Amino acid sequence: MKHKDGKYHSQPEKPFKIVPATLLVIVLCGFSFYLGGIFCSEKSRLEGKSVQDVSKTVSSPKEPAVDPLQIKSMAFPECSADFQDYTPCTDPRRWRKYGSHRLTFLERHCPPMSERKQCLVPPPDGYKPPIRWPKSRDECWYRNVPYNWINKQKSNQNWLRKQGEKFLFPGGGTMFPRGVGAYVDLMQDLIPEMRDGTVRTAIDTGCGVASWGGDLLDRGILTVSLAPRDNHEAQVQFALERGIPAILGVISTQRLPFPSNSFDMAHCSRCLIPWTEFGGIYLLEVHRILRPGGFWVLSGPPVNYENRWRGWNTTVEEQKSDYEKLEGLLTSMCFKMYAKKDDIAVWQKSSDSSCYNKLAEPDVYPAKCDDSLEPDSAWYTPLRPCVVVPKPELKKSALESLPKWPERLQVTPERISNVPGGSSSALKHDDGKWKVRAKHYKKLLPALGTNEIRNVMDMNTVYGGFAAAVIDDPLWTMNVVSSYATNTLPVVYDRGLIGTFHDWCEAFSTYPRTYDLLHLDGLFTAESHRCDMKYVLLEMDRILRPKGYALIRESSYFIDAIASIAKGLKWSCRREDTEYGVAKEKLLVCQKKLWYSASSSSR
């Protein structure tokens, strides 16, 4: 026995207590053995019953633990012919429901669920597969975009010209009557960084038929051409028909669907945006999406007002006042004049933190934005009358600090550190994975890598790995990052690629028949809890060109259901193994059929 002093002390034996204790132990052991026997026999009986009952519900051990998703086959009717250019979230039929203040009606306003269309959008009468790149940059079939409004209204500006069965694109524009090539040559003289790979990504607001963006492709600059669906009918549709990146959008009351500090250059050629009105809020949005050290290029009023004012239905005094107001506003948000000649003026966004520090002083306008809103928040996010200040710790994201193109594609961006799990090794692994996948895709789809496929969308990218893997092919890729997913889009832009935020529970901001290939990797696995698979596939059908392709990489759980819906879309699909042949993941290689409306004379 151990006493309080910590020592053990022997005790004298007490035989009269040992005997009863021994008997007690024997009795308890026997009783325990008896109870154990009863328990074990009952457990065996219950287990036998349990196994027997389960065997009645499980017919075969070969069946999967989770039943595959079952969807009945369905057929979709054709939409009426007047829906051939249906853009659900920018539908002119619904504009009167929204205000005209700051052109609010031109922004995204998606129909409620009760008004969503469950029909297939028909092509125009006489539609035929688009002319292939690079010839498509200069001409397209008239019947594919049968709108003559721009030709009639802008004929003196040489935007496009109808000739026989085709529209021709001579490369003219409001501010470049000598052609877009001469216009960009002058711009490059002002901005030498456009020649050496420093400038890689650009945005063109009010793009017309995207001739500026088309010309820059040959110079290694990838441009997102932006225009609303307005009275300049089908601007974005013309751009995409030509094989030039474009998206429907307008700077109005909401932020554009791009991350902050992304584009190397922004351009406006008489795009009629009132830059100095409403406290300069439109310029503040350009400032947000423009990278530190990036360039803002303006041609048209009030630039060169001394020589141009007579053609602008105004006075020289008014134009001088507008120009001075513009200069003051740009200076107040840390832009500085970079170069100016003839009709082109160039400002550069400052990378110097000392300028931005002054914005924190009281009574300064525009003021520095507080930290209550993420600078990259850009999906239905209101514009704010303040300056989004570049984070001083992100020094390698400024234009002058980035590697030049094409080295930029392979260098790990600084902003990957903001992505959970993001690192140089993660990017390298992702790129290696997509190189293997792209090689496999080309075996399954020989058209990939040829000029048969030009406009490509990666519907749920992470780091732009698929786009990087096919960068040397004659195509461009719109990289889409879900507005509900981890924000990796800054990494995509830092690599010299382009993309946009989007929510696939809604329609995409483009016209019908504008993409040759839609690629998705696990989109339904990630979004099926929010988005109805049927509507996502209907939207894919709307934006896919007839005879275009869909590469769908999904878990085996979803693949048969997708194939069933695709059959109702008049797609032909075949099921293929992935590059490693794993059972849990499959590929659907689909092609959209070219069909005509029942009322079409082309039928």
Side-chain angles (χ1 to χ4, degrees):
M1 179 181 290
K2 193 173 184 180
H3 286 189
K4 292 181 180 180
D5 60 4
K7 299 179 180 178
Y8 287 90
H9 300 274
S10 62
Q11 294 290 335
E13 290 185 359
K14 297 180 180 179
F16 63 94
K17 288 186 179 180
I18 292 176
V19 175
T22 303
L23 288 173
L24 182 60
V25 168
I26 294 170
V27 170
L28 286 174
C29 286
F31 187 62
S32 257
F33 182 80
Y34 172 74
L35 289 176
I38 294 174
F39 173 76
C40 289
S41 61
E42 184 65 14
K43 181 172 182 287
S44 298
R45 185 182 68 81
L46 289 171
E47 284 183 343
K49 184 176 185 299
S50 177
V51 170
Q52 191 176 21
D53 289 346
V54 170
S55 68
K56 291 177 183 179
T57 59
V58 180
S59 58
S60 169
K62 295 180 181 179
E63 290 183 3
V66 180
D67 290 335
L69 184 64
Q70 299 294 325
I71 289 186
K72 295 180 181 179
S73 59
M74 55 185 73
F76 298 98
E78 299 173 8
C79 300
S80 60
D82 61 336
F83 277 84
Q84 67 184 27
D85 288 319
Y86 180 48
T87 54
C89 296
T90 50
D91 187 359
R93 298 172 180 86
R94 306 178 73 245
W95 283 353
R96 66 180 62 183
K97 295 183 178 182
Y98 308 103
S100 59
H101 176 66
R102 286 170 52 183
L103 302 179
T104 303
F105 67 96
L106 291 177
E107 292 186 305
R108 286 179 60 86
H109 301 286
C110 298
M113 183 64 71
S114 60
E115 296 179 22
R116 295 187 74 167
K117 299 296 178 185
Q118 297 189 47
C119 55
L120 306 182
V121 175
D125 188 8
Y127 179 91
K128 59 179 72 175
I131 295 168
R132 294 183 180 179
W133 182 266
K135 199 174 179 181
S136 64
R137 177 165 42 193
D138 301 320
E139 60 185 45
C140 76
W141 297 115
Y142 167 71
R143 294 307 314 171
N144 288 11
V145 195
Y147 302 108
N148 213 19
W149 189 92
I150 296 179
N151 183 40
K152 291 178 179 177
Q153 297 296 320
K154 302 288 184 179
S155 57
N156 63 320
Q157 296 167 9
N158 222 18
W159 282 22
L160 73 164
R161 182 174 67 250
K162 188 175 183 295
Q163 183 173 303
E165 294 184 347
K166 295 179 179 178
F167 275 126
L168 306 182
F169 300 92
T174 310
M175 294 307 301
F176 29 97
R178 294 190 296 121
V180 68
Y183 175 78
V184 177
D185 285 343
L186 174 58
M187 195 177 296
Q188 284 190 155
D189 290 340
L190 299 177
I191 312 172
E193 292 87 346
M194 292 175 64
R195 297 182 184 273
D196 65 1
T198 300
V199 172
R200 166 61 182 172
T201 59
I203 182 168
D204 187 15
T205 54
C207 66
V209 294
S211 293
W212 186 75
D215 182 87
L216 289 177
L217 288 169
D218 281 343
R219 306 175 194 242
I221 299 174
L222 194 56
T223 304
V224 176
S225 294
L226 181 79
R229 178 159 185 172
D230 64 357
N231 61 343
H232 286 189
E233 207 163 30
Q235 291 179 88
V236 166
Q237 194 171 24
F238 273 119
L240 289 159
E241 187 71 16
R242 299 175 69 186
I244 302 169
I247 192 171
L248 283 168
V250 61
I251 307 179
S252 177
T253 67
Q254 307 285 333
R255 283 180 172 179
L256 296 175
F258 311 115
S260 62
N261 307 323
S262 294
F263 292 98
D264 306 333
M265 181 165 62
H267 172 255
C268 164
S269 172
R270 202 174 186 184
C271 55
L272 304 181
I273 296 174
W275 295 113
T276 58
E277 292 184 18
F278 310 110
I281 200 164
Y282 303 142
L283 261 179
L284 286 165
E285 176 62 359
V286 170
H287 183 279
R288 183 187 72 86
I289 63 175
L290 195 61
R291 188 181 302 282
F295 301 98
W296 186 60
V297 183
L298 177 67
S299 65
V303 176
N304 199 15
Y305 66 88
E306 303 94 331
N307 301 309
R308 291 285 192 178
W309 67 271
R310 290 181 182 84
W312 295 340
N313 297 319
T314 182
T315 65
V316 67
E317 290 79 15
E318 286 177 347
Q319 285 300 304
K320 181 182 179 182
S321 174
D322 287 348
Y323 185 77
E324 290 173 349
K325 189 185 299 183
L326 179 64
E327 276 195 314
L329 183 61
L330 286 163
T331 301
S332 70
M333 57 180 71
C334 298
F335 278 102
K336 59 182 179 181
M337 172 60 74
Y338 186 80
K340 182 183 176 186
K341 186 175 181 180
D342 297 337
D343 296 324
I344 301 176
V346 182
W347 285 268
Q348 186 175 31
K349 178 178 173 178
S350 178
S351 300
D352 184 3
S353 59
S354 62
C355 175
Y356 295 107
N357 291 336
K358 296 176 182 178
L359 301 180
E361 297 175 4
D363 301 323
V364 171
Y365 187 88
K368 174 184 175 181
C369 289
D370 57 32
D371 296 328
S372 63
L373 186 64
E374 166 60 43
D376 292 347
S377 177
W379 188 246
Y380 293 119
T381 303
L383 294 180
R384 302 179 73 195
C386 56
V387 178
V388 173
V389 174
K391 295 181 179 179
E393 63 269 21
L394 296 176
K395 297 178 181 179
K396 295 181 181 178
S397 297
L399 185 59
E400 60 269 19
S401 302
L402 287 173
K404 291 179 170 56
W405 181 262
E407 290 81 13
R408 179 172 165 180
L409 182 65
Q410 306 302 333
V411 176
T412 303
E414 182 182 34
R415 287 195 281 182
I416 201 170
S417 62
N418 296 332
V419 178
S423 64
S424 180
S425 59
L427 182 65
K428 186 176 180 181
H429 173 76
D430 190 69
D431 275 357
K433 174 182 72 176
W434 281 108
K435 285 177 183 177
V436 174
R437 290 182 173 187
K439 186 177 180 180
H440 183 63
Y441 289 172
K442 289 178 179 179
K443 291 179 181 178
L444 302 178
L445 185 59
L448 181 58
T450 73
N451 63 0
E452 186 179 337
I453 292 177
R454 172 64 185 169
N455 301 350
V456 176
M457 181 187 291
D458 192 358
M459 294 175 61
N460 59 324
T461 192
V462 180
Y463 299 128
F466 174 68
V470 295
I471 197 67
D472 293 325
D473 295 332
L475 55 81
W476 60 270
T477 305
M478 180 64 73
N479 293 283
V480 180
V481 172
S482 170
S483 56
Y484 282 81
T486 301
N487 177 24
T488 58
L489 199 53
V491 176
V492 171
Y493 273 95
D494 289 352
R495 302 187 71 189
L497 305 171
I498 58 173
T500 180
F501 293 117
H502 183 63
D503 177 4
W504 282 111
C505 297
E506 301 180 358
F508 192 77
S509 296
T510 190
Y511 281 85
R513 305 172 301 280
T514 46
Y515 283 87
D516 299 303
L517 172 65
L518 300 177
H519 169 261
L520 62 87
D521 174 25
L523 176 65
F524 296 110
T525 299
E527 302 281 21
S528 62
H529 66 291
R530 298 192 311 108
C531 309
D532 189 320
M533 185 185 303
K534 172 181 63 178
Y535 287 112
V536 176
L537 285 161
L538 275 167
E539 176 61 7
M540 290 171 65
D541 181 79
R542 185 186 72 87
I543 67 179
L544 192 61
R545 284 172 168 170
K547 296 194 174 181
Y549 300 94
L551 267 174
I552 302 172
R553 188 185 189 100
E554 265 298 348
S555 67
S556 301
Y557 178 77
F558 285 103
I559 212 76
D560 288 336
I562 296 169
S564 178
I565 298 173
K567 186 177 181 181
L569 299 174
K570 303 182 182 180
W571 294 4
S572 61
C573 297
R574 68 179 193 274
R575 183 171 172 164
E576 297 282 359
D577 286 335
T578 61
E579 58 282 351
Y580 296 119
V582 294
K584 65 179 181 180
E585 191 177 48
K586 295 294 178 183
L587 284 166
L588 271 185
V589 183
C590 301
Q591 186 173 28
K592 178 179 175 178
K593 178 183 177 182
L594 172 57
W595 56 272
Y596 296 98
S597 172
S599 59
S600 171
S601 60
S602 301
R603 193 173 173 84

